[in-house]
Amino acid sequence: MIDVSQTECSFHPSAAARQAAVIEYRGHFTNEIITSLLDTTAVRLLCDGEDLRTRRRVLRVMVESLQNIARHREPCVDNTGAISADVFALRKQGGLYILVCGNPVTRSAVPHLAARLERVNSLNRQQLKELYQRLLLATSRAGGLGFVDIARRSGTKLRFDFHEISDEHCFFGLTVALARGGSGTKKKYMDILNLEGTEDTPAILFDKKKGIFKISGRSIPEDPSVFYKPVLEWIRQYAKDANPSTQVVFKLEYFNTSSAKVILDMLYALEAIKGASILWYFDEEDEDMEEAGQEFAELVKIPFEFKPS
């Protein structure tokens, strides 16, 4: 078995991201290496206590992503004279697994690849299912089937980009977010939602039994809609059988404008809960955070209490 733990990968943005890595690899992908990556990931997910459904979804998306690299990569030498390697990483981020992979492709392939991915991202769940079935029934080679399957399993838009690495080649990067603990309408509602905080995302603890609903830390993820998706789903499920009183505590250091939109979406979802209220903490010297809470309070019909910390 290949010792993937000894490989290196240069595209993690921070030390915290590297610490959250489940597995990472940089180099040439062969069937033997793909098998080793899958086996190692399966063991680590099991040791981390992930449920069977999550493990299977992560591994299925991994298979499609890695085999796509093995089939379609274009060996090339970049503008520095180095041989451009394929890359893969899987890391935890709060309630998500983030899968990142990339490989060189010819410049001529970029428009077709981009159009195919944009088409996949434009479809809803039912349309993806119908496209998947059509591609399966097609008499010709089912090009794009892997991307469709990845989008169906993740339930999120596929992020992709292309970076020039030589006169004839670009590096194609793909990022996929997968919810931990199941997703979609089949997901079981859990009384407790507990997401650990990171450098970019807040700690979130929603505990129905103990009556604790708290969001704390900083919220500056690149794509807040992906991070907060399981939070919004939890609130909607909780609203169906909420406690008589629900006070949600916000104790944020700061948040970016993209997060502000998702926070407002959460507040709208909380409006449907009878007895819901907000406790908004702010530092006594942080007028901006106090003002941000006041602006949210003006936009929703939920009682707000403001408290300096």
Side-chain angles (χ1 to χ4, degrees), residues 193 202 204 206 214-215 219 224 227-236 248-250 252 259-273 276 278 280 296 300 302:
L193 176 68
I204 299 179
F206 289 171
K214 185 176 182 180
I215 302 175
S219 181
F227 172 76
Y228 283 102
K229 181 179 179 180
V231 181
L232 285 165
E233 177 62 23
W234 192 95
I235 293 173
R236 294 185 182 112
V248 181
V249 177
F250 283 84
L252 296 170
S259 294
K261 175 62 174 68
V262 185
I263 291 172
L264 184 59
D265 289 340
M266 281 195 291
L267 294 173
Y268 284 146
L270 289 167
E271 280 185 326
I273 301 174
I278 305 298
W280 187 274
F296 282 130
V300 295
I302 304 176

Side-chain angles (χ1 to χ4, degrees), residues 60-69 71-73 99 101-103 105 109-124 127-129 131-132 135 141-162 172-176 178:
R60 182 163 184 172
V61 171
M62 275 186 65
V63 168
E64 293 297 336
S65 302
L66 296 174
Q67 289 184 343
N68 183 70
I69 292 175
R71 285 194 299 262
H72 302 299
R73 78 174 310 276
L99 182 152
C101 60
N103 59 280
V105 296
V110 170
H112 179 66
L113 260 177
R116 181 179 290 177
L117 285 159
E118 286 168 0
R119 182 192 182 196
V120 168
N121 281 341
S122 71
L123 303 178
N124 60 33
Q127 290 170 329
L128 284 170
K129 178 181 177 180
L131 176 58
Y132 184 84
L135 291 173
R141 189 170 179 267
L145 189 63
F147 289 143
V148 176
D149 190 58
I150 290 171
R152 291 182 67 201
R153 301 304 159 191
S154 69
T156 59
K157 303 299 182 185
L158 306 182
R159 292 169 48 200
F160 62 95
D161 53 25
F162 301 92
F172 166 49
L174 179 69
T175 302
V176 184
L178 297 152

Side-chain angles (χ1 to χ4, degrees), residues 241-257:
D241 185 27
N243 295 345
S245 176
T246 304
Q247 184 181 67
V248 181
V249 177
F250 283 84
K251 199 170 184 178
L252 296 170
E253 297 174 22
Y254 51 86
F255 55 86
N256 57 14
T257 53

